[in-house]
Amino acid sequence: MSFDLGLLRTYGVEILVAFGVTFLIWIAASALGMIGGFAVAVARRWGPAWVAWPLRAFVEVIRGTPFLVQIFLLYYGGPFIGLSLDAVPAGLLGLTIYGSAYYSELFRTGFDAIPKGHLEAADCVGFSRVQMIRRIIVPEMTMLVLPAMVNMTILMLKETAILSIISVPELTLEVSSIGSAHYAFVESFTILALAYWALVELCGWAGRLAESRLSRYRFAHS
Amino acid sequence: MTSSPAIRVRGVVKRYGATEVLTGIDLDAPRGEVTCLLGPSGSGKSTLLRCIAFLEETSDGLIEIDGEPLGYGPGSNGGRVRLPPASIRAVRSNIGMCFQQFNLWPHMTALGNVSEALVTVRKFSRGEAEARAMAELEKVGLAKRATHYPSELSGGQQQRVAIARALALEPKIMLFDEPTSSLDPELTGEVLNVMRRLAETGMTMVVVTHEIGFAASVGSKIVFLDHGKILVEGSPTQVFGKPRHARIDQFLDTYLDRGAAGLL
């Protein structure tokens, strides 16, 4: 048995399509997860108690169970509560929910890390709560949590592989089934590893770019 | 209402749980003058200033800014009633505040810090706001630093930007909470000079400070707090001149070296 990447030639298009599916689900779920997570963090921080408590429970449940179990329950259990989704929407929804719980915790710690005085200064010049969030809290929090956000977004990419169990035609499902069909496990998983790694590098590069653009804002001293 | 003081504090109490930090403060800050709040750490002077800025809510008592009640108005049966948010916002807009830690927003340049509220709160156009902000930076001697971020400025420069940020909104009263306590003596000097010039323009100022020299030379009214109440108040000569209150003597010994104390 020799190491033969001929699979790439034969299944190049299929692999590229699957790569595209993974990429799109990853980007969409990460973006939606950040938006959802931000909403959860804001509601928990400034919302009334009857909103904050259920959201806290939501975050605890999502963080306390494996993503594999969550996606299984959503896809196969969903129909019992009238939620019948195809594999791709179910996968996207599941990953978004998962991401929003983690991102919300990240943003929450970011809120806590903003020096209280910066908000008092905004309060003193007459900012409303919404203006304060938009103009002060979001930009300051972003620069505080950016490295952790890059990290979480990389984890989101790797979690897309789990979607193969509900038959989302993403990279892991497609490449591993090609590998099984040809008994070319090492080759197929090498291709998989390289493909994910390329995306992780892309994410890391984007993160570094953003960090360098924000670095001149570094906190003076407090 | 020009006869009313710029700030009138009556019976203000502030409690944190069972601890009474302010125990019934009565204070008038005269219009166009500099009132200095002095006292040892924990005396309640910063808390009092923060109550006047409405950063802390008082537990009891009333505060009037320019004759208008701040936060609470007198109630029908001798108590007090909470005023609507719009009233609180309107009264607070007369007040500018400077902090010990400057509290500039790190993601905005000096110009951005000064123009931000003009755009966001006062709805100026970006151009108008920046022109006004530039003029304010000019007054504190920092026009050349307009495009610098706070991390690129010294502590003294940051505090001067913070003063410009407050002044850009044209407040009637400026509050300073230990504005030089985190600065070395040289930087302290440049900030005090800006404050001295501001005082000369007739701005009503209330300054919490440990700078006895500044208080004695610029302050027209000295208020000495201890354990949450006003111990002594009066002109610098009345408070610092001899014979003086034993507690002031003790305080001056702690905060000044003997040589400087002799100058008073």
Side-chain angles (χ1 to χ4, degrees), chain B residues 40-56:
Chain B
S41 297
S43 59
K45 57 193 188 306
S46 278
T47 305
L48 175 58
L49 193 79
R50 291 171 58 83
C51 286
I52 296 169
F54 210 66
L55 287 169
E56 306 280 349

Side-chain angles (χ1 to χ4, degrees), chain A:
Chain A
M1 238 169 80
S2 63
F3 189 79
D4 176 15
L5 288 178
L7 282 179
L8 274 176
R9 262 193 308 280
T10 325
Y11 293 103
V13 176
E14 285 85 345
I15 293 173
L16 212 59
V17 169
F19 185 83
V21 170
T22 288
F23 181 76
L24 289 178
I25 290 183
W26 170 47
I27 295 298
S30 298
L32 294 171
M34 284 179 204
I35 295 167
F38 182 74
V40 168
V42 167
R44 280 185 67 184
R45 177 65 177 258
W46 290 288
W50 62 267
V51 172
W53 272 97
L55 288 176
R56 180 172 171 192
F58 159 76
V59 171
E60 293 300 319
V61 167
I62 297 296
R63 292 203 310 165
T65 53
F67 180 56
L68 184 99
V69 174
Q70 293 165 19
I71 199 69
F72 223 81
L73 281 174
L74 176 66
Y75 188 60
Y76 295 106
F80 290 104
I81 55 162
L83 188 71
S84 295
L85 291 172
D86 287 339
V88 171
L92 183 59
L93 178 64
L95 195 56
T96 298
I97 292 172
Y98 173 81
S100 54
Y102 277 91
Y103 282 118
S104 80
E105 279 296 279
L106 232 153
F107 294 146
R108 194 174 64 81
T109 56
F111 291 157
D112 291 343
I114 298 172
K116 214 172 121 246
H118 294 189
L119 307 184
E120 289 182 347
D123 186 27
C124 282
V125 293
F127 278 55
S128 68
R129 170 75 38 83
V130 174
Q131 289 168 337
M132 200 184 293
I133 290 172
R134 271 191 42 226
R135 303 293 302 161
I136 311 295
I137 293 175
V138 169
E140 283 204 36
M141 179 204 64
T142 306
M143 71 198 218
L144 288 167
V145 302
L146 195 64
M149 273 173 77
V150 170
N151 215 18
M152 182 58 211
T153 306
I154 287 171
L155 291 177
M156 290 285 281
L157 170 66
K158 297 190 203 167
E159 297 291 16
T160 60
I162 303 278
L163 301 181
S164 60
I165 69 146
I166 58 162
S167 72
V168 172
E170 49 66 66
L171 206 51
T172 298
L173 180 70
E174 297 295 292
V175 175
S176 63
S177 54
I178 292 167
S180 320
H182 294 265
Y183 295 102
F185 297 110
V186 177
E187 287 87 345
S188 59
F189 278 88
T190 303
I191 291 169
L192 262 185
L194 290 172
Y196 282 115
W197 188 36
L199 288 178
V200 168
E201 281 304 311
L202 176 76
C203 182
W205 170 80
R208 279 191 298 279
L209 186 75
E211 260 181 81
S212 72
R213 293 198 59 179
L214 292 176
S215 65
R216 54 183 181 156
Y217 308 151
R218 289 272 167 258
F219 281 99
H221 60 77
S222 298

Side-chain angles (χ1 to χ4, degrees), chain B residues 251-264:
Chain B
F251 176 80
L252 291 176
D253 276 352
T254 324
Y255 279 93
L256 293 173
D257 59 78
R258 302 296 171 130
L263 296 174
L264 291 169

Side-chain angles (χ1 to χ4, degrees), chain B residues 62-95:
Chain B
L62 295 172
I63 297 174
E64 276 177 17
I65 304 295
D66 219 17
E68 299 287 330
L70 171 69
Y72 295 88
S76 49
N77 49 2
R80 59 177 199 169
V81 289
R82 173 93 186 185
L83 298 171
S87 143
I88 296 174
R89 225 175 300 124
V91 176
R92 283 184 88 186
S93 70
N94 294 313
I95 301 171

Side-chain angles (χ1 to χ4, degrees), chain B residues 3-258:
Chain B
S3 59
S4 67
I7 302 170
R8 186 203 301 268
V9 175
R10 287 293 177 271
V12 160
V13 174
K14 175 67 185 175
R15 285 182 215 98
Y16 293 107
T19 331
E20 217 167 63
V21 186
L22 298 175
T23 61
I25 301 282
D26 293 327
L27 175 71
D28 286 343
R31 203 177 297 275
E33 292 181 21
V34 178
T35 303
C36 291
L37 304 183
L38 269 55
S41 297
S43 59
K45 57 193 188 306
S46 278
T47 305
L48 175 58
L49 193 79
R50 291 171 58 83
C51 286
I52 296 169
F54 210 66
L55 287 169
E56 306 280 349
E57 296 230 2
T58 53
S59 308
D60 201 1
L62 295 172
I63 297 174
E64 276 177 17
I65 304 295
D66 219 17
E68 299 287 330
L70 171 69
Y72 295 88
S76 49
N77 49 2
R80 59 177 199 169
V81 289
R82 173 93 186 185
L83 298 171
S87 143
I88 296 174
R89 225 175 300 124
V91 176
R92 283 184 88 186
S93 70
N94 294 313
I95 301 171
M97 174 85 180
C98 289
F99 301 85
Q100 181 178 351
Q101 296 296 342
F102 330 131
N103 291 332
L104 295 182
W105 301 306
H107 56 293
M108 295 178 195
T109 60
L111 188 67
N113 267 278
V114 181
S115 59
E116 176 61 34
L118 291 170
V119 177
T120 311
V121 181
R122 301 280 163 98
K123 307 296 175 201
F124 280 45
S125 74
R126 178 66 61 184
E128 288 170 323
E130 290 189 348
R132 163 87 68 91
M134 243 1 240
E136 293 300 338
L137 284 172
E138 188 83 55
K139 283 189 209 161
V140 297
L142 285 173
K144 287 205 181 100
R145 296 278 184 275
T147 58
H148 290 231
Y149 285 90
S151 60
E152 301 164 331
L153 299 171
S154 73
Q157 290 170 335
Q158 289 186 57
Q159 190 61 293
R160 283 147 65 196
V161 172
I163 293 172
R165 172 173 69 181
L167 289 176
L169 298 167
E170 299 185 315
K172 291 181 184 156
I173 296 164
M174 283 286 286
L175 307 178
F176 295 85
D177 188 7
E178 301 199 28
T180 61
S181 292
S182 46
L183 300 174
D184 67 39
E186 202 172 340
L187 301 180
T188 296
E190 70 184 47
V191 170
L192 292 183
N193 281 337
V194 167
M195 290 170 64
R196 198 169 276 128
R197 283 207 304 277
L198 184 60
E200 282 161 10
T201 67
M203 174 65 78
T204 304
M205 294 161 64
V206 181
V207 186
V208 170
T209 185
H210 293 301
E211 295 292 330
I212 313 286
F214 175 85
S217 60
V218 182
S220 54
K221 180 169 185 174
I222 306 292
V223 179
F224 189 94
L225 282 93
D226 198 19
H227 295 300
K229 51 175 159 295
I230 294 175
L231 199 64
V232 187
E233 65 179 303
S235 69
T237 330
Q238 287 167 333
V239 174
F240 296 128
K242 290 173 179 167
R244 58 187 170 222
H245 196 287
R247 185 69 189 84
I248 306 271
D249 245 351
Q250 189 193 351
F251 176 80
L252 291 176
D253 276 352
T254 324
Y255 279 93
L256 293 173
D257 59 78
R258 302 296 171 130

